[in-house]
Amino acid sequence: MSEPNFPSPEELQKKLSDFMKTQFGNHVSVSTQVSAAPEEAGGPGSAVGTGDEVFEFRHLPRDIKAHLDRYVIRQDDAKRVLAIAVCDHYNNVNYMRKLEREDEKKARETEYTKQNVILLGPTGVGKTYLVKHIAELVGVPFVKADATKFSETGYVGGDVEDLVRELVQGANGDVEMAQYGIIYIDEVDKIASSASTMGRDVSGRGVQTALLKLMEETEVPLRAPNDIQGQLQAAMEFQRTGGKPKRQTINTRHVLFLVSGAFEKIRGVIERRVRQGTIGFAAPPDGQQGGEMLEHVTTADFVEYGLEPEFIGRLPVRVVCRELSVEDLFEILQRSEGSIVRQYERAFRAYGIEVFFEEAGLKRIAELAAVEKTGARGLLTVCERLLRSFKYELPGSGANRFTVDVGLIEDPEKRLAELLEQGQRALAEELAAVAREFAQRLASRHNLKVELTQGAIAKLVERAVAENIHMRDLCAEVFKDYEFGLKLAEGTTEPLILTEEAVGNPDRYLSEWLVKRYRADRRTGEEQMASKSVDLCGDSPAR
Ligand code: ADP
């Protein structure tokens, strides 16, 4: 069969654009930006699988933990367990890649059970944060999604595969690199089929099955079947490259899967098992609570909870993240490199405002955040509530520093009002200085004395603020005719006192002053003349 006769990429784009215009008007445009061509991505010089490696895993578990310690407070068990799982996984990837180069057949036959991880723990305690920092350190693409997203759409399988395609985007189009990425799925407790209460929940089960397929090994098409633009791009690339065979799928064999969930109600399952005296792998002693109880979770508990045995079976590494105490939250603010305190300092600095967080203030914020019961997320909630109006009101108000202390936290509105008032005063002072400087320059250019009264300054400041213009521009505008007018009075010793009235009606004020000066000068001239003639008269008899 002969190849279909494809139009050139330009023709195709034009045809597509015309079609879109007739269908949707000018609201839709067609972009033909092609992400890195898949076959190029894995080609010579790319990161993985070529021999000249950019991605070479060389970390030790203790290095990973040390890296995580910089950002994540507590969760030591999780850090250790994740560090080991990640090292095992990527060491195996190193080994397999080497083997694939040396002996492809043996590589295919080599068995390896992936160390996919399930993280249990409440919201906002650092689960995602841990995974994100691990992916960053290892240098692999990382994708996160909520498991609930898949059940909501109803279109199960395809959406789950989108996760894998997103890895390619995360790897800037590098398909090979994407195959070593990390996929993190939160809220997996929500896709448990609620077997014990209301019969099997089909959609949750469907999502589990779809995920299971990915976790094992599957080839995911690079372009989603419903991605028409992607398909067209593929056609254009096909045309452009003269139909070279190219890689069209992503293999999930080496993708590391991490899943997590709060599993609130699984405690009940564990407790029941303990009470009924079922002999679990590690039955917890009576009286244990919360996180401690979760640590004793068994596969049977997960199955009882509603996870499919095959699904939970693909998640052999289990670890619990603990709830964060007030002290932990305080430490996050103070010590974590990713602390939101740094974020707030940066945000205010962008407006030239320095913010200082006092230790006692941080402690109070941690206490308020703990009440929110959303882990470290509560810190942001509290800070936003406290500082939102500061972020809006302070920039441009003249205030250039403030301290977050207990007083501010107790009554933020009062502190804001004080800061704004101080800011206004500082701003007015600054503007007044500019106005005085303007008067000074005018004076020195004309060899005169020029002064602004307090009333004149107040009026100028009021106008500069109200009209939102620079003081220098305002003065130049108000006194624009003075440059010329004052030439007529150069060298006058009598100072020009600019009053509030001068600001209101500058030209009349100037002309009246000039007339006054002129008259005064004339009078002085006449008086001098007169005294000279008196002198002359007075002298004559003596001659
Ligand atoms: P979850 O456990 O729900 O996945 P996240 O990891 O997304 O929570 O945490 C939300 C934010 O809270 C993180 O981006 C981080 O800034 C902060 N955070 C959470 N836990 C910790 C922790 N243990 N140490 C430092 N920061 C944390």
Side-chain angles (χ1 to χ4, degrees):
M1 220 173 74
S2 66
E3 293 292 353
N5 199 9
F6 273 108
S8 75
E10 293 73 21
E11 283 167 354
L12 191 57
Q13 186 186 7
K14 184 167 180 317
K15 280 191 178 155
L16 204 54
S17 293
D18 292 345
F19 170 73
M20 293 300 229
K21 258 198 202 118
T22 53
Q23 294 290 312
F24 307 108
N26 284 329
H27 306 295
V28 181
S29 69
V30 180
S31 146
T32 50
Q33 250 193 350
V34 181
S35 56
E39 77 285 1
E40 285 159 16
S46 85
V48 185
T50 57
D52 50 351
E53 316 297 348
V54 176
F55 169 71
E56 179 77 50
F57 185 80
R58 288 207 186 90
H59 299 282
L60 300 176
R62 71 180 66 226
D63 300 339
I64 294 187
K65 165 131 185 342
H67 179 77
L68 294 176
D69 282 340
R70 288 169 49 194
Y71 300 91
V72 186
I73 303 302
R74 298 282 179 274
Q75 316 304 8
D76 283 356
D77 286 349
K79 286 176 191 162
R80 278 208 188 86
V81 171
L82 282 170
I84 297 167
V86 165
C87 286
D88 279 358
H89 180 76
Y90 287 105
N91 283 333
N92 179 62
V93 167
N94 276 353
Y95 170 75
M96 292 302 286
R97 287 215 330 265
K98 192 159 168 278
L99 199 61
E100 275 160 17
R101 284 199 297 273
E102 288 163 5
D103 185 346
E104 216 173 308
K105 182 165 170 286
K106 193 165 166 219
R108 264 199 312 277
E109 286 164 359
T110 304
E111 291 275 331
Y112 178 70
T113 310
K114 257 199 273 183
Q115 306 266 350
N116 297 326
V117 182
I118 180 161
L119 288 149
L120 292 88
T123 183
V125 298
K127 299 185 296 297
T128 311
Y129 206 41
L130 282 165
V131 180
K132 181 179 146 254
H133 279 294
I134 288 183
E136 253 169 41
L137 179 71
V138 178
V140 289
F142 160 63
V143 168
K144 183 198 171 185
D146 285 349
T148 46
K149 173 176 129 178
F150 304 120
S151 45
E152 272 162 20
T153 61
Y155 175 57
V156 176
D159 283 350
V160 171
E161 291 193 342
D162 282 346
L163 284 176
V164 181
R165 283 185 278 270
E166 274 177 45
L167 278 179
V168 181
Q169 281 170 22
N172 294 325
D174 187 335
V175 179
E176 292 292 324
M177 195 60 167
Q179 299 188 119
Y180 304 100
I182 296 180
I183 291 184
Y184 173 55
I185 304 161
D186 197 8
E187 303 205 33
V188 286
D189 50 339
K190 309 265 168 61
I191 55 162
S193 33
S194 26
S196 44
T197 50
M198 50 184 101
R200 288 268 156 189
D201 167 351
V202 180
S203 85
R205 231 173 124 192
V207 180
Q208 289 186 47
T209 314
L211 288 174
L212 180 63
K213 231 176 79 192
L214 291 189
M215 283 196 249
E216 283 176 333
E217 180 179 356
T218 192
E219 295 280 341
V220 173
L222 203 50
R223 320 266 179 197
N226 58 348
D227 171 11
I228 295 170
Q229 190 171 337
Q231 300 288 348
L232 280 164
Q233 282 176 358
M236 291 195 295
E237 277 163 31
F238 181 85
Q239 176 80 351
R240 203 187 53 196
T241 56
K244 264 199 301 188
K246 61 189 79 162
R247 167 150 219 143
Q248 296 288 8
T249 58
I250 315 144
N251 186 297
T252 62
R253 188 182 195 192
H254 296 310
V255 172
L256 181 62
F257 285 85
L258 305 171
V259 308
S260 71
F263 287 95
E264 275 293 330
K265 301 212 173 97
I266 213 166
R267 291 192 185 117
V269 176
I270 304 170
E271 267 166 17
R272 225 174 10 254
R273 167 166 62 78
V274 174
R275 259 203 317 275
Q276 287 165 357
T278 313
I279 304 178
F281 177 65
D286 259 345
Q288 283 196 350
Q289 304 242 328
E292 287 169 51
M293 179 66 85
L294 279 184
E295 273 159 29
H296 299 282
V297 70
T298 63
T299 301
D301 295 332
F302 281 119
V303 174
E304 165 85 18
Y305 185 82
L307 293 184
E308 297 298 310
E310 298 84 2
F311 179 71
I312 195 67
R314 293 296 180 287
L315 297 160
V317 185
R318 289 157 204 177
V319 65
V320 177
C321 285
R322 298 293 189 93
E323 203 133 1
L324 298 166
S325 66
V326 173
E327 288 71 39
D328 298 337
L329 294 172
F330 171 63
E331 212 178 322
I332 289 175
L333 287 172
Q334 238 195 355
R335 206 172 61 72
S336 165
E337 280 186 35
S339 166
I340 54 164
V341 167
R342 306 285 102 73
Q343 204 172 304
Y344 275 94
E345 286 169 349
R346 271 200 309 276
F348 279 104
R349 200 168 296 138
Y351 303 115
I353 301 167
E354 288 296 333
V355 51
F356 302 94
F357 286 82
E358 257 185 17
E359 201 175 300
L362 291 180
K363 280 217 170 95
R364 190 76 194 105
I365 291 174
E367 282 163 13
L368 292 171
V371 179
E372 299 280 318
K373 297 254 173 273
T374 51
R377 268 184 246 273
L379 294 169
L380 193 60
T381 315
V382 171
C383 286
E384 268 308 291
R385 200 165 58 213
L386 283 174
L387 299 177
R388 193 181 298 138
S389 31
F390 287 69
K391 254 190 200 165
Y392 182 78
E393 303 278 356
L394 290 189
S397 71
N400 54 15
R401 54 183 288 144
F402 71 102
T403 304
V404 179
D405 50 21
V406 178
L408 181 147
I409 296 168
E410 296 305 329
D411 194 347
E413 278 168 30
K414 181 165 162 246
R415 178 66 59 83
L416 181 60
E418 285 165 8
L419 286 167
L420 287 174
E421 204 188 303
Q422 282 167 19
Q424 286 303 331
R425 274 206 301 274
L427 193 66
E429 212 25 73
E430 236 170 73
L431 294 176
V434 176
R436 277 192 211 101
E437 192 188 304
F438 179 88
Q440 203 53 52
R441 287 185 183 198
L442 197 63
S444 65
R445 269 200 300 277
H446 297 287
N447 193 21
L448 285 167
K449 265 184 136 176
V450 180
E451 278 168 29
L452 283 160
T453 62
Q454 280 304 330
I457 289 175
K459 189 91 192 149
L460 284 167
V461 168
E462 191 188 308
R463 273 189 64 183
V465 172
E467 294 168 31
N468 192 23
I469 45 176
H470 287 301
M471 179 57 96
R472 213 178 305 276
D473 296 343
L474 176 67
C475 289
E477 163 69 23
V478 170
F479 302 112
K480 65 177 178 304
D481 292 332
Y482 280 46
E483 273 313 328
F484 177 76
L486 290 181
K487 281 204 170 90
L488 306 173
E490 262 165 30
T492 306
T493 50
E494 186 71 21
L496 166 60
I497 313 278
L498 294 171
T499 61
E500 193 177 338
E501 194 195 333
V503 178
N505 200 338
D507 293 351
R508 198 177 70 202
Y509 190 86
L510 177 65
S511 60
E512 282 176 6
W513 184 78
L514 284 172
V515 168
K516 242 193 282 173
R517 286 286 28 90
Y518 176 72
R519 286 199 184 129
D521 286 351
R522 211 173 57 180
R523 230 181 0 257
T524 317
E526 281 170 2
E527 277 164 16
Q528 281 172 352
M529 288 284 284
S531 76
K532 263 191 194 149
S533 61
V534 169
D535 280 354
L536 286 176
C537 297
D539 281 345
S540 56
R543 281 193 182 173

